[in-house]
Amino acid sequence: MRKQVLTLVLAGAAGLAATSVIAAGGPIEHRKAIMQSVGASAGLAGGMMKGEIAYSPAAGKAVIASMNAAAHSFGAFFPEGSDAGDTTAAPAIWSDAAGFEAALAKFAEATGAAMAASGKDGPADLDAFKAVAGPIMGNCKSCHEAFRVKK
């Protein structure tokens, strides 16, 4: 229980940090802040799915809501010229803009479906969470493979 509470606190702190960065920075900083929030949510999701963190419907709903918000905002922070600097955004984002938009649409579709399926209180149990979180995590992986440069 303590690990679950700590993880939720850390995820919340990451979200607050992301909000501060977004208020202060340009597109690269915005992208990083959003991805930090997604990373915190993915960490919580993975921990619950592996049984390292006790599952709770509220935590499941928080993961899904965070990912859904990212899916609907992330694409706005890739204007022309934001490919240079401290970024892991792959050149394919700009050279294959249609493919990147399609990947973002798939992510939004998966998170939207998860939001709809999870109801007001979140997925009722771990199996229900896994069913809706799996497609979300798969979208994260495929997008990172195609549109992110590994450091």
Side-chain angles (χ1 to χ4, degrees):
M1 178 68 173
R2 289 185 72 197
K3 189 173 182 181
Q4 179 182 12
V5 170
L6 177 62
T7 302
L8 287 171
V9 169
L10 291 174
L16 289 175
T19 302
S20 297
V21 171
I22 286 174
I28 294 173
E29 289 80 11
H30 289 96
R31 297 191 304 246
K32 286 181 178 183
I34 292 169
M35 281 296 109
Q36 286 173 346
S37 175
V38 168
S41 294
L44 176 56
M48 290 188 299
M49 293 167 86
K50 293 176 188 173
E52 297 168 351
I53 300 170
Y55 176 76
S56 80
K61 184 71 172 191
V63 165
I64 294 165
S66 175
M67 297 279 200
N68 189 49
H72 291 285
S73 61
F74 189 63
F77 298 105
F78 292 89
E80 288 295 327
S82 68
D83 56 338
D86 184 20
T87 181
T88 58
I93 290 171
W94 293 273
S95 66
D96 182 14
F100 183 59
E101 288 295 324
L104 289 174
K106 282 181 64 178
F107 185 40
E109 182 179 326
T111 61
M115 287 289 289
S118 67
K120 181 178 118 280
D121 298 324
D125 57 33
L126 183 58
D127 287 336
F129 177 73
K130 286 179 178 180
V132 296
I136 294 171
M137 303 304 266
N139 277 287
C140 292
K141 182 181 181 207
S142 66
C143 194
H144 279 212
E145 288 172 352
F147 299 105
R148 181 177 183 218
V149 175
K150 293 181 183 178
K151 286 188 175 183

